[in-house]
């Protein structure tokens, strides 16, 4: 921000209005002071470009993730998998190029620049995936929508490594609210548990030692229990009514920078 404010004032200093137009004063100056000033101007221009590229890189990240995870170019227009793959590859390449340009420009100005990240700020990277642990609580449908709005989806846990890593992080965060929504429900057909990408369960971690989960208990209402939470204390899953309020874990694929 500071660079943008300084740049116009430096331009005013280096230009002299004449009847023929603006004439640079520095053309008539000689010596090392002039060269240093010109180098400074060039560097400031580079830094302005740097800020612009950083901004574009940020936008690009969101586009990549939105395209990758929502699977639609415009609302209501589904893409086939090959078109989607091409779009993702194209935007990822542009993102990587912007990251490279951003870093190079930063080095040319001896500026410390923020390194491009494979996950958005505030998301935890585990392997090739990024995870977001919310602080606020929503019901399951709103949690699902919230993750999509952030460019991700409610987390899908196909492996025990993912399950262990997430419950470990959930316990590290601590606090009295240790249940988190995950992207698992049987809302379509009772007992047919599906992840939000419609895949079926590969492994399950239902609490079956202390309880007989999933039990579709009707204490929460006539619809029973159709949505799943991760209980970070017992390291197991519970089915609970979908209108209960819990924190959530969102997930998105990391962007490989190498
Ligand atoms: Ca159920
Ligand atoms: Ca239950």
């Amino acid at each position: 921000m500071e660079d943008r404010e300084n740049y116009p004032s430096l331009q005013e200093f280096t230009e002299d209005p004449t009847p023929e137009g603006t004439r640079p004063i520095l053309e008539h100056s000689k010596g090392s002071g002039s060269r240093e000033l010109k180098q400074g101007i060039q560097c400031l221009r580079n830094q302005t470009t740097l800020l612009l590229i950083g901004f574009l890189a940020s936008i690009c990240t969101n586009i990549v993730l939105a395209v990758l995870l929502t699977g639609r170019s415009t609302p209501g227009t589904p893409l086939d998998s090959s078109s989607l793959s091409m779009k993702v590859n194209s935007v990822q390449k542009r993102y990587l190029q912007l990251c490279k340009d951003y870093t190079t420009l930063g080095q040319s100005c001896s500026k410390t620049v923020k390194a491009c990240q494979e996950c958005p700020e505030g998301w935890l990277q585990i392997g090739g995936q990024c995870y977001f642990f919310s602080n606020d609580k929503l019901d399951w449908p709103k949690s699902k929508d919230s993750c999509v709005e952030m460019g991700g989806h409610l987390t899908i846990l196909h492996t025990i490594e993912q399950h262990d890593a997430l419950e470990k992080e959930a316990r590290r965060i601590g606090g009295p609210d240790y249940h988190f929504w995950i992207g698992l429900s049987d809302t379509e057909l009772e007992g047919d548990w599906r992840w939000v990408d419609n895949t079926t369960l590969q492994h399950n971690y239902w609490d079956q030692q202390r309880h007989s989960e999933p039990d579709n208990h009707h204490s929460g209402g006539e619809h029973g229990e159709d949505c799943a939470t991760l209980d970070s204390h017992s390291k197991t899953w519970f089915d609970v009514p979908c209108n209960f309020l819990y924190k959530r874990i969102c997930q998105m694929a990391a962007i490989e920078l190498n």
Side-chain angles (χ1 to χ4, degrees):
M1 198 62 195
E2 187 180 341
D3 296 338
R4 284 179 175 169
E5 288 171 357
N6 287 342
Y7 183 68
S9 61
L10 194 54
Q11 280 287 78
E12 286 170 15
F13 176 72
T14 56
E15 291 176 350
D16 181 23
T18 67
E20 293 77 32
T22 305
R23 175 172 58 84
I25 294 173
L26 288 175
E27 280 183 2
H28 302 286
S29 302
K30 294 186 178 179
S32 60
S34 169
R35 283 196 302 276
E36 286 169 1
L37 191 52
K38 285 181 178 175
Q39 285 171 354
I41 292 168
Q42 186 58 43
C43 198
L44 283 171
R45 283 177 176 152
N46 286 347
Q47 288 178 27
T48 304
T49 309
L50 197 62
L51 287 171
L52 182 62
I53 288 181
F55 177 66
L56 289 174
S58 170
I59 291 176
C60 235
T61 309
N62 292 335
I63 293 172
V64 169
L65 296 169
V67 170
L68 184 65
L69 295 161
T70 62
R72 291 169 187 270
S73 59
T74 55
T77 308
L79 292 170
D80 60 45
S81 59
S82 60
S83 299
L84 183 61
S85 178
M86 286 174 66
K87 277 180 176 289
V88 169
N89 288 339
S90 170
V91 180
Q92 279 186 332
K93 280 181 185 171
R94 286 159 62 188
Y95 171 72
L96 294 176
Q97 187 58 50
L98 283 168
C99 281
K100 190 177 169 188
D101 293 346
Y102 174 68
T103 305
T104 303
L105 276 167
Q107 287 169 347
S108 73
C109 292
S110 303
K111 270 274 189 185
T112 302
V113 295
K114 200 169 183 178
C116 289
Q117 300 291 322
E118 298 186 353
C119 291
E121 196 164 341
W123 292 58
L124 172 71
Q125 183 169 359
I126 300 174
Q129 298 292 315
C130 312
Y131 297 95
F132 172 77
F133 291 74
S134 80
N135 287 319
D136 63 313
K137 294 188 278 187
L138 296 170
D139 62 25
W140 192 88
K142 288 195 176 81
S143 295
K144 181 183 171 190
D145 291 345
S146 174
C147 289
V148 171
E149 285 166 10
M150 295 177 79
H153 55 79
L154 273 175
T155 188
I156 295 171
L157 304 175
H158 281 315
T159 68
I160 191 167
E161 288 79 15
Q162 286 176 303
H163 173 80
D164 288 348
L166 293 195
E167 64 83 13
K168 183 179 176 185
E169 177 62 14
R171 272 189 288 123
R172 188 192 70 76
I173 293 170
D177 299 310
Y178 49 85
H179 283 268
F180 291 82
W181 287 124
I182 57 177
L184 184 64
S185 71
D186 70 340
T187 49
E188 295 296 320
L189 178 63
E190 178 56 36
D192 181 21
W193 287 92
R194 298 271 174 163
W195 293 105
V196 285
D197 64 354
N198 207 36
T199 52
T200 54
L201 282 177
Q202 307 291 310
H203 306 281
N204 74 76
Y205 307 98
W206 296 114
D207 188 322
Q208 293 184 325
Q209 289 195 338
R210 296 180 305 155
H211 304 87
S212 299
E213 301 289 328
D215 57 3
N216 199 44
H217 204 281
H218 281 68
S219 62
E222 61 181 71
H223 295 294
E225 299 178 316
D226 293 343
C227 295
T229 62
L230 168 69
D231 176 340
S232 57
H233 280 191
S234 65
K235 308 180 190 177
T236 54
W237 300 348
F238 285 76
D239 63 343
V240 295
C242 297
N243 61 352
F244 278 18
L245 303 181
Y246 290 114
K247 296 179 177 180
R248 61 196 171 279
I249 304 173
C250 302
Q251 177 182 347
M252 67 171 64
I255 298 175
E256 287 186 31
L257 295 177
N258 298 317

